[in-house]
Amino acid sequence: MITLQEKGWIPPDKDPHVIAIQVIAFNEGYTIFSLLFEGTNPGAHINGLVKLMA
């Protein structure tokens, strides 16, 4: 996350450690949801990750 922040993908006022925790939690939730409901939505997954980093 620090590298992404240095490259301008994450605002400088955001804590990269907190963002990393949120991204991991989001990915775990998405994985479980996909397995439970037998489907994926890559667009929703990417959009969710982008919102976490914005």
Side-chain angles (χ1 to χ4, degrees):
M1 291 301 148
I2 292 170
T3 300
L4 292 175
Q5 192 173 47
E6 289 170 350
K7 294 186 182 268
W9 288 61
I10 299 172
D13 61 325
K14 290 217 172 188
D15 182 348
H17 180 76
V18 171
I19 299 295
I21 292 169
Q22 292 172 332
V23 165
I24 291 167
F26 183 79
N27 283 331
E28 289 175 350
Y30 179 81
T31 300
I32 291 168
F33 176 87
S34 297
L35 291 173
L36 286 175
F37 298 103
E38 299 178 359
T40 61
N41 184 334
H45 189 211
I46 297 299
N47 286 337
L49 293 171
V50 168
K51 287 181 181 184
L52 285 173
M53 293 185 221

